[in-house]
Amino acid sequence: MASPKGANAREDDEQLSNSNFNVDYIIHYKVPKNERIEAEAGYVQLIEALTTVGLASEVRPGDDSSILVFVKMASETLLRQQVFRARLQDWLQGVRTAGPGADLSGALMEEPVSEAERLRLIYLAITKPKNEGGAGITPKSGQWKYVDSVFPLHDRHFNREWMKRLSTKYLLNQDDLDEIRNKFGESVALYFAFVQSYFRFLVFPAAFGFGAWLLLGRFSFLYALASCLWSVVFFEFWKKKEVDLAVQWGVRGVSKIQHPRPQFKFDHETEDVVTGEPIKVYSPFKRLRTQLLQVPFTIACIVVLGGFIVMCNSLEIFINEVYSGPFKTYLPYLPTILLVTVLPAFSSVLTNFAKKLTEMENYANIDTHHAALVQKEFVLNFITSYMPLAFTAFVYLPFGHLLTPYLHIWGKLAQGLTFGQKELSVQEFQINPARITGQMFYCTVTAQIVNFATEAIVPYVKHKVMTQAKEQGILGKAAKVGASDAKEEAAFLRRVRRETELEIYDVTTDYREMVIQFGYLSLYSVAWPLAGCSFLINNWVELRSDAFKIASGSRRPIPWRADSIGPWLNALGFLSWLGSLTSSAIVFLCRDGADGSRGAASNVQAWGLLLTILLAEHFYLVVQIAVRFLMDKIDSPGLQRERKERFNMKKRILEENLGENAALAASVAPGIEMSEKLTQSALREEARRAEQGSVEDMFWQRQQGMAGTIEAGRTLISQVRGTPPKDT
Amino acid sequence: MASPKGANAREDDEQLSNSNFNVDYIIHYKVPKNERIEAEAGYVQLIEALTTVGLASEVRPGDDSSILVFVKMASETLLRQQVFRARLQDWLQGVRTAGPGADLSGALMEEPVSEAERLRLIYLAITKPKNEGGAGITPKSGQWKYVDSVFPLHDRHFNREWMKRLSTKYLLNQDDLDEIRNKFGESVALYFAFVQSYFRFLVFPAAFGFGAWLLLGRFSFLYALASCLWSVVFFEFWKKKEVDLAVQWGVRGVSKIQHPRPQFKFDHETEDVVTGEPIKVYSPFKRLRTQLLQVPFTIACIVVLGGFIVMCNSLEIFINEVYSGPFKTYLPYLPTILLVTVLPAFSSVLTNFAKKLTEMENYANIDTHHAALVQKEFVLNFITSYMPLAFTAFVYLPFGHLLTPYLHIWGKLAQGLTFGQKELSVQEFQINPARITGQMFYCTVTAQIVNFATEAIVPYVKHKVMTQAKEQGILGKAAKVGASDAKEEAAFLRRVRRETELEIYDVTTDYREMVIQFGYLSLYSVAWPLAGCSFLINNWVELRSDAFKIASGSRRPIPWRADSIGPWLNALGFLSWLGSLTSSAIVFLCRDGADGSRGAASNVQAWGLLLTILLAEHFYLVVQIAVRFLMDKIDSPGLQRERKERFNMKKRILEENLGENAALAASVAPGIEMSEKLTQSALREEARRAEQGSVEDMFWQRQQGMAGTIEAGRTLISQVRGTPPKDT
């Protein structure tokens, strides 16, 4: 334990170090040793560009080959103008229901500028092109190639409080999400909202999964139906929820605002037929041609990754269940080692290929580019994550006995390679129904724990060790860094230097993890119903470790906005649909084989399988329609807010208009007396024209005004022949 | 032939009779002979209510127990106010992109009031509740029970021109649709647009249907795939097209404006949490309980109608293909007679039941009520239309040989009933593969012709004969009607009296016909590929006969607005989906039996059938996704118009705002010089505060302004150690 005095000193240090010195952004500017002159010229341009858009800057030494530029808005007035213009733009683009009135300070009182909004606008001021009123600084490209990164500083005090609160709370509430939104922007907040909703929903599969595990065992139709129903409800719930959150946070529709991609190459420019603005055009047919490359790409992924996975799996089966020769103790690790070492290599080659392919597809907007990339990566993830289980569920368990001859290929191979002509000792092959449970356990428990370690703990420890080493001069060169810092700034600068070395937080990675997890639940949990329980526990930790990663393991993210989880929504829908197929198929194929007493495939009839799948899929589709119908009926805070905003706007405008048109309005429902006069005068005017004797005008002159018409009508009614009304 | 003189006289008469005497609406007011006093009181209230909202009225005798009230807007100013208020409301409800400016006459110049808009607004003025500024006249209910109908008069001149133009044109173009919209409102125009689009699209199934009939014969997989593809493309096309039309006609979103249903009964009133307005609430659970009655209702429909149809069909098969006893010539008509007489009776009982059920479901809005009713009627139509074919395709053709014992029940029955113990003479039963073709021919040709006759020709002839008879005093009592008419009005009044007797046009009936036709094509045309050709010809006539029906066979419809074909869209989607299943199943089941050479069911394997259906359905789903994706990429005139309106509004508002905030805007991108000053002054202010010595403020004071930062940075950069840049 540290002595009280030491603790106090550290606390003071921390206190000072917590302050961000009003700095909004850090620009980490690299000065390569051999390009000092170019770097200097770029630096001058940088400061000039920043000043032009009203940003104040200070400079301090970075590490031995970089400097740190500190940026803040020069005055609050400038910031307010930015806020006003941004909100006006939002309104015009349909993101806000009501436009900002002329009364700016009133609007700022009503809806204060959150830290996220402030940081986002300043980031845009730094990076937007010059013709759109920004400084046009694009890190690492072209003129700004020495600008290594532009990032905001962590709010350490908040981060510490936040971590404390998260670790003592069971559930996040709306206030917690709003807080995340105000600090890290809607994009990150939406991720937390997603994990939170998913976590809450996991209670159901955890509960009925546990029940099924106790009472029904594996491969239960009832569990498959419940799981299918659950995944539909969750998917539809989230679709509604994300709209709701977007409305509450005032960002609904931001995904429609298209941010042009700087790397986009266009064929020719043309004029928009409507607005006359120039548009850059890239032939959609050319793009389609490139997109068609996705077909061979997907096939390649399936062949390479799938083939490798099937190979390793069959090898593993051979070693574990057939082989009984020498090295029996160590050989079982061989397939795992192969998978762990070779698969990531394949994956990363294919990922790079996916990136190149997406580049070649040459999208005009950042969002479409990102979605296209995510889609391809999802294919890769899909194969690497679900293929081993698919092999076990659809090949090994039902048709295992047919596999024996193929398994012996491994034996032959081993014989040929290593043991010469000696006969390999084998045991009789028996299908091991526990295999899929073991695999599911690995995927849902072991893998999650390993993942947690590599994702949250390792980078943190690594970073701690590295900075300690640097500061204590172990890594030679860095010793002098910070030597010339002013005393009162030293701690702050040290912290800033540390933050420049952190990794960039990418919410996509976290989404991927959750979606792949959802896939395990939807596709295969019927083989191990406890998966829901495992995920419930995992995700409680996951949410906190993600928060920790953001707060301590990475640079503070740029607080981007988002109104949806974007391409992941499609992935969720796809997995939920596919789950209805795989679950029912697994149940049908493995139900009998589950107790190991008889061969699984003996009873399998193709038509039974097809009928099961057909019924399951239509159960899914019908449930989907029903759930959508019901969800539509439910009111929600976001929709209420939207209605309220619309109502207020409507009221305001109606009042304005009625004010102007008060006289008009009064005369529309003028009461009989006045109306009568009005009608009379209108008719009289016509009568004047009627002196020329038009038949049409004559028609309307027969009865003078209301009284005339009533009188004439009475006469006509009295002429209706009939028995006189009976007196009673 | 009439003599020239007679023809001339009639022409003069027609000329005068073409004029509508500026009348906007006719109120047909019944005066029952025994309730003259009540009717008189009601009549006075009627005229007063009309006058209150600024409507002028005249009265003339109707037939022997009714009077005719002629209504028009008293003045153009009043109409303009109505137009202004209505357009303002539309804008507030999101139907219009831009609100009407203060400059009303300018707006009317830019977008003149069409006849449909005028008539709609006047109709609303007559019928809207008093608290919403209308006269509150609701025909046939409560206080207004003597008001038989409120309807506008036909524009005879236009109608004649219109019929002439339609009959000489092959296709309607956008101008024709716009014309219909301006005369009869968007609701009718949308129907014509739908039939027109459907007609154009029919060219494809007609062409590949003809090709398939020539080259592939019936039950071709290729035709089934093409038909499935076509139906998806058409469905997706129309979904896009109707949005497009709605935007072009400025009615997008009108379906969201909910018109309260007067018959709605509420449990209690509550306040809207947002607006504070009172809302009438009816428990959705109560409604759901009533809605659940749809399940037994549907089962009852299937059992009653389906059972009856199956009975008649099997009887027909028995008589035609098994029976060979006495009365063989006449007996085949028996099932048809049964179907034609008993089925409509069943249908109408069930339709009434559907109406009652919908009433009981107690919807709050007219639209939801209508949609619920349409849905139920669609179930009835679905069964009566498609059941006979389903029986043939899925029972008779593939499993016919298994039916024989059941068919002989008829024989036994007949024997028991009529012929005592005498053995019935039967021939050997053989499946007749031409049966489905014959049925399809009946459904797609005969039925369409019969339908055309009953729908368009019969009512017209009936009406002509009736009025002739009435006028010539054949029907006794009516002789005196019109005797007291002023000479110049006589022809007009005669025409008005005739129009009061016409039927009300209901666009729902016409939609139903088209949707059911689409169903034949999608579900069964694989059995008779020529169906497309037949429908192509039929629909050319259909469109014109519908126009004729509107113009001559019914009262002029109230020009309601609509932005979608509403519940029929779901019906189309459902039929298109179901078509993918039935077509593939029919092909699979009947393919071998089609040539009659071998038993159809011999080869049928359940798994093959299921696989076919599964593949066909997924083909459908994939095609749907692909077509939607592609359709999304296509620009359209409606979307362009919307973009244009938004762009103009945006430009206007930006200009206004930039005008106000010119000074602000200038200072946002102020150029280096000014910025520098600004930044300096902001910093100086901070410096003043910094005299208290805050560390944060000190931090920003180290470097004075831009120049200071640049200088400090240069120094830092020069300190970066490294090899000096090489001179080249």
Side-chain angles (χ1 to χ4, degrees), chain A residues 129 132 257-264 280 363-366:
Chain A
E132 290 174 30
I257 302 175
Q258 304 191 320
H259 300 283
R261 210 173 129 254
Q263 297 91 330
F264 173 60
K280 294 165 178 170
Y363 292 100
N365 307 310
I366 291 176

Side-chain angles (χ1 to χ4, degrees), chain A residues 261-454:
Chain A
R261 210 173 129 254
Q263 297 91 330
F264 173 60
K265 288 180 209 72
F266 54 96
D267 286 345
H268 60 277
E269 265 191 315
T270 174
E271 269 191 8
D272 191 311
V273 282
V274 173
T275 61
E277 287 167 341
I279 355 171
K280 294 165 178 170
V281 180
Y282 180 72
S283 156
F285 298 103
K286 266 195 193 171
R287 182 173 299 132
L288 191 68
R289 230 183 299 154
T290 322
Q291 281 169 330
L292 285 179
L293 289 176
Q294 288 181 19
V295 178
F297 172 73
T298 309
I299 295 173
C301 291
I302 294 174
V303 169
V304 173
L305 295 176
F308 186 72
I309 288 167
V310 168
M311 194 194 84
C312 289
N313 266 273
S314 61
L315 183 60
E316 192 202 326
I317 293 166
F318 173 74
I319 291 171
N320 280 333
E321 287 157 37
V322 181
Y323 181 73
S324 64
F327 308 112
K328 171 86 183 161
T329 331
Y330 307 107
L331 272 179
Y333 297 104
L334 180 65
T336 314
I337 291 167
L338 275 177
L339 272 179
V340 170
T341 53
V342 180
L343 200 58
F346 279 165
S347 269
S348 88
V349 168
L350 287 168
T351 307
N352 280 331
F353 201 79
K355 275 182 190 150
K356 281 223 183 80
L357 201 56
T358 315
E359 287 289 333
M360 278 165 63
E361 284 166 13
N362 191 22
Y363 292 100
N365 307 310
I366 291 176
D367 283 346
T368 40
H369 176 85
H370 180 242
L373 183 60
V374 162
Q375 217 174 21
K376 293 190 193 68
E377 289 180 348
F378 180 69
V379 172
L380 290 173
N381 288 307
F382 184 86
I383 298 171
T384 49
S385 307
Y386 304 135
M387 199 71 162
L389 282 159
F391 179 75
T392 309
F394 297 116
V395 181
Y396 173 77
L397 283 184
F399 308 112
H401 57 286
L402 303 174
L403 280 181
T404 328
Y406 300 99
L407 287 176
H408 285 288
I409 293 174
W410 287 113
K412 296 259 164 58
L413 200 69
Q415 235 171 327
L417 281 177
T418 347
F419 307 98
Q421 299 306 319
K422 205 164 35 140
E423 182 65 23
L424 212 72
S425 47
V426 294
Q427 61 200 48
E428 207 205 337
F429 173 62
Q430 256 200 331
I431 292 168
N432 174 11
R435 184 175 159 77
I436 195 165
T437 313
Q439 270 187 315
M440 269 301 277
F441 186 82
Y442 174 79
C443 292
T444 58
V445 182
T446 322
Q448 304 271 352
I449 293 171
V450 170
N451 190 42
F452 168 70
T454 53

Side-chain angles (χ1 to χ4, degrees), chain A residues 19 21 33-34 36 43 51 59 72 489 614 617-618 675 686 696 700 702-703 709 720-721 723, chain B residues 19 21 33-34 36 43 51 59 72 489 617-618 675 686 696 700 702-703 709 720-721 723:
Chain A
S19 163
F21 285 77
K33 281 163 191 143
N34 298 333
R36 271 192 303 188
Y43 169 74
T51 312
V59 65
K72 71 165 183 176
E489 294 172 6
L614 205 72
E617 187 177 11
H618 287 92
S675 247
E686 236 169 51
E696 279 89 349
W700 289 96
R702 295 215 164 228
Q703 291 143 16
T709 311
V720 169
R721 292 152 311 159
T723 53
Chain B
S19 162
F21 285 77
K33 280 160 191 147
N34 297 334
R36 272 193 301 188
Y43 168 74
T51 312
V59 66
K72 71 166 183 175
E489 294 172 7
E617 187 176 11
H618 287 92
S675 246
E686 235 169 49
E696 279 89 350
W700 288 97
R702 296 212 164 229
Q703 289 142 17
T709 311
V720 170
R721 291 153 310 158
T723 54

Side-chain angles (χ1 to χ4, degrees), chain A residues 622-663:
Chain A
V622 168
V623 164
Q624 191 179 49
I625 289 171
V627 170
R628 274 186 196 164
F629 177 79
L630 289 178
M631 288 270 178
D632 267 355
K633 304 261 164 194
I634 301 169
D635 207 10
S636 68
L639 293 177
Q640 273 185 11
R641 182 184 151 140
E642 204 179 19
R643 269 202 297 149
K644 191 171 191 168
E645 278 173 1
R646 280 195 198 288
F647 176 75
N648 287 337
M649 186 196 72
K650 191 169 152 178
K651 216 167 78 178
R652 211 187 61 226
I653 291 174
L654 263 181
E655 274 161 10
E656 280 170 20
N657 265 289
L658 288 184
E660 279 174 29
N661 296 295

Side-chain angles (χ1 to χ4, degrees), chain B residues 668-700:
Chain B
V668 168
I672 292 187
E673 290 294 304
M674 246 200 81
S675 246
E676 174 66 355
K677 269 183 223 152
L678 259 167
T679 318
Q680 287 276 20
S681 75
L683 292 174
R684 218 167 294 133
E685 200 183 317
E686 235 169 49
R688 237 180 300 123
R689 270 186 282 120
E691 282 168 21
Q692 296 153 13
S694 144
V695 182
E696 279 89 350
D697 294 336
M698 289 280 286
F699 179 85
W700 288 97

Side-chain angles (χ1 to χ4, degrees), chain B residues 10-179:
Chain B
R10 197 180 298 156
E11 224 166 69
D12 281 1
D13 189 45
E14 293 272 343
Q15 198 86 40
L16 195 60
S17 169
N18 276 347
S19 162
N20 275 347
F21 285 77
N22 298 333
V23 170
D24 286 320
Y25 273 90
I26 304 291
I27 298 180
H28 189 210
Y29 195 81
K30 287 274 176 198
V31 184
K33 280 160 191 147
N34 297 334
E35 297 167 36
R36 272 193 301 188
I37 288 168
E38 296 93 320
E40 194 177 317
Y43 168 74
V44 174
Q45 287 175 337
L46 174 71
I47 300 297
E48 281 177 356
L50 291 175
T51 312
T52 316
V53 291
L55 294 163
S57 48
E58 281 279 319
V59 66
R60 295 288 184 280
D63 59 19
D64 61 337
S65 66
S66 70
I67 53 176
L68 297 170
V69 181
F70 296 81
V71 179
K72 71 166 183 175
M73 253 313 165
S75 76
E76 282 302 308
T77 324
L78 283 167
L79 179 69
R80 279 182 184 197
Q81 286 160 20
Q82 296 275 13
V83 171
F84 176 78
R85 289 171 71 99
R87 290 187 180 176
L88 183 67
Q89 282 283 354
D90 280 353
W91 177 53
L92 289 172
Q93 278 167 322
V95 174
R96 293 171 155 263
T97 321
D103 176 24
L104 183 57
S105 36
L108 290 181
M109 286 282 283
E110 212 173 271
E111 191 184 341
V113 184
S114 71
E115 214 176 299
E117 188 176 8
R118 177 194 171 94
L119 285 177
R120 181 170 54 82
L121 292 178
I122 297 178
Y123 186 77
L124 284 176
I126 297 173
T127 55
K128 257 194 309 190
K130 283 189 178 157
N131 59 7
E132 290 174 28
I137 292 160
T138 48
K140 286 185 183 167
S141 81
Q143 188 191 356
W144 308 108
K145 61 180 171 181
Y146 300 117
V147 175
D148 188 60
S149 57
V150 180
F151 64 95
L153 287 173
H154 272 298
D155 180 342
R156 296 195 97 190
H157 178 70
F158 167 80
N159 283 356
R160 204 167 301 128
E161 290 297 310
W162 187 42
M163 294 313 303
K164 213 179 279 169
R165 218 166 322 129
L166 280 186
S167 55
T168 52
K169 248 184 165 172
Y170 180 61
L171 286 171
L172 300 191
N173 57 27
Q174 188 61 42
D175 289 342
D176 294 316
L177 293 176
D178 288 345
E179 196 180 32

Side-chain angles (χ1 to χ4, degrees), chain A residues 164-181:
Chain A
K164 213 179 278 169
R165 221 170 316 132
L166 280 185
S167 55
T168 53
K169 248 185 166 173
Y170 180 61
L171 286 171
L172 300 192
N173 57 28
Q174 188 62 40
D175 288 343
D176 293 316
L177 293 176
D178 288 345
E179 198 180 30
I180 298 174
R181 175 228 173 190

